[in-house]
Amino acid sequence: MMDGETYEGGSVAHHIIDIIEKKKLGGSLSEAEVRDAVTGYTSEKIPDYQMSALLMAIFIKGMSYEETLSLTKTMAESGDSYSFPDSVDKHSTGGVGDKVSLTALPIAAACGAPVAKLSGRGLGITGGTIDKLEAIPGFSVDLSEERFKKQVETVGMAITEAGSLAPADKAIYALRDTTGTVDSLPLIGSSIVSKKAATGAGHLLYDVKRGSGAFMKTPEEARELADLLVRLSEDLGVRASAFITGMDAPLGRAIGNALEVRESVAFLKDEDTPGDLAHMARRVAVRLLELKGVSEPDEAVERAISSGAAYEKLEEFVAAQGGEADKLPDLEVSSETHEIKAPRSGFVSRFDALGLGRAALALGAGREKKGDPLDFGAGVEVFARVGDAVEAGQRVALLFGSRNIERAKKLAEESLEVSGEPTDAPPAILDSL
Ligand code: URA
């Protein structure tokens, strides 16, 4: 550490200690103090142990809205920034079987709303759009800024990963991940919005998931995060809106990378698709068009699906990023399968997203630790939903893959609860703002 370097009030070392002390005692950091801490850390003048102490103080004492906005701006401005004022993007806080980006975005793009999207990889049990797309042979998210911009203009849809966008968030997120400071509202809000603001889409929809398979477990936490994401985005000049959606059960039937692409393709080809997925994909596409001010968005969305235009847009986008679009409907999935059967007759009262997500992860659809190779063809297909009547011995799920099969079976079996009384299926979208 370069102790001799000075800030206005003294050396870097003293300055960061003052900032930590102030936050530890519940004080409010000025915009300059937030910036000094972030830039000091990314330029390696502040070491991991001091940044960790500051993050833990923030975790325990919280941050005011003004501090959170300063942190968001500083991280957004820490690397490249793009500008796509006419484009749309959506962000999910992470769920199991969440293929809304793969379904709603080609629809929006086919309706004339260009998509400039930043996506991530899977985190824990929650899948990531990049992992799903990489199940398509040849597909790559490694786009230069120039190619990303050109593709948004010519194809109307491009997806990239953070790369040089908001590098401060990348560094701080990695530290949070290993210091027990991920689940802090101001840190999550600033992390998400800084990356989105740097990507530059002018219209954003947040899908804040709530339930067993999501980071936010209660309605209050989900609402608070949704409010924060929308407020931070609007203050950074982005038109934003949010849905709060249920994640006590997986979305749709498929969990796992190739399986989810196949289910998305079936939906876009107007083939039979589970009602919760079909509803969510339509509502998200409509809301994105509303944010853009497109008139009669419901009609536009229905036309894009029934005419095949949305599926053609998916093919065009996949091909533009090097993917073999002709393989989309029949992506290879694992030939090794295991059935899960209902233990008794009755009504499904729970088929838990957390347990099914863990089963898919164990089979190789996600990473148990950093750097684990994925099995793109692994995952779970779920054939029974909350509220459905089932007979003893009826197949309720199919596991795909050969890794950790006994553990995956146990996790899937324990996720299912069959009761004697019928239960209503919860709505897919719980709230919106
Ligand atoms: N996703 C992010 O991008 N950041 C967080 O802090 C949590 C989830």
Side-chain angles (χ1 to χ4, degrees), residues 409-433:
K409 268 197 220 163
K410 187 162 182 288
L411 283 163
E413 280 162 5
E414 287 172 357
S415 304
L416 178 69
E417 221 168 69
V418 178
S419 83
E421 299 296 320
T423 316
D424 285 338
I429 298 177
L430 307 169
D431 200 358
S432 93
L433 63 148

Side-chain angles (χ1 to χ4, degrees), residues 175-402:
L175 194 59
R176 287 168 56 209
D177 205 20
T178 52
T179 54
T181 51
V182 168
D183 48 344
S184 142
L185 195 71
L187 295 179
I188 294 176
S190 54
S191 164
I192 293 173
V193 177
S194 65
K195 286 182 289 232
K196 293 289 167 182
T199 316
H203 309 80
L204 251 169
L205 175 62
Y206 293 102
D207 174 7
V208 178
K209 304 259 178 229
R210 179 204 69 75
S212 75
F215 287 118
M216 301 290 136
K217 304 293 180 200
T218 68
E220 295 74 28
E221 284 172 341
R223 178 77 204 200
E224 234 186 316
L225 179 59
D227 281 334
L228 180 63
L229 294 172
V230 169
R231 191 172 170 200
L232 288 171
S233 303
E234 296 271 350
D235 283 343
L236 293 177
V238 179
R239 273 206 82 189
S241 177
F243 284 154
I244 296 171
T245 63
M247 192 29 73
D248 282 321
L251 184 69
R253 189 177 296 139
I255 309 166
N257 301 297
L259 287 164
E260 291 190 39
V261 173
R262 281 165 60 137
E263 187 173 40
S264 304
V265 165
F267 167 72
L268 290 173
K269 287 185 146 200
D270 215 5
E271 293 167 8
D272 189 31
T273 317
D276 59 340
L277 171 62
H279 178 66
M280 270 286 287
R282 285 182 158 88
R283 294 316 309 155
V284 167
V286 166
R287 179 59 66 90
L288 288 171
L289 297 183
E290 283 169 352
L291 280 169
K292 278 270 298 171
V294 172
S295 60
E296 302 188 336
D298 291 275
E299 290 78 355
V301 164
E302 289 315 313
R303 260 196 318 275
I305 299 170
S306 60
S307 67
Y311 182 62
E312 281 167 26
K313 187 55 72 181
L314 177 74
E315 287 186 310
E316 195 184 347
F317 148 72
V318 164
Q321 294 198 209
E324 294 178 36
D326 56 324
K327 298 238 166 78
L328 276 169
D330 292 307
L331 283 188
E332 208 178 322
V333 295
S334 177
S335 56
E336 226 167 297
T337 57
H338 303 267
E339 287 190 342
I340 303 295
K341 295 184 174 166
R344 68 186 73 83
S345 299
F347 299 90
V348 176
S349 54
R350 187 179 71 96
F351 212 173
D352 184 38
L354 177 62
L356 290 165
R358 283 187 178 148
L361 184 69
L363 289 161
R367 299 173 188 85
E368 297 199 277
K369 58 180 188 327
K370 209 175 153 195
D372 277 353
L374 294 180
D375 176 353
F376 288 118
V380 181
E381 266 192 331
V382 180
F383 302 109
R385 317 196 57 77
V386 170
D388 287 356
V390 289
E391 298 288 332
Q394 180 182 324
R395 183 178 75 162
V396 290
L398 194 59
L399 309 186
F400 292 77
S402 53

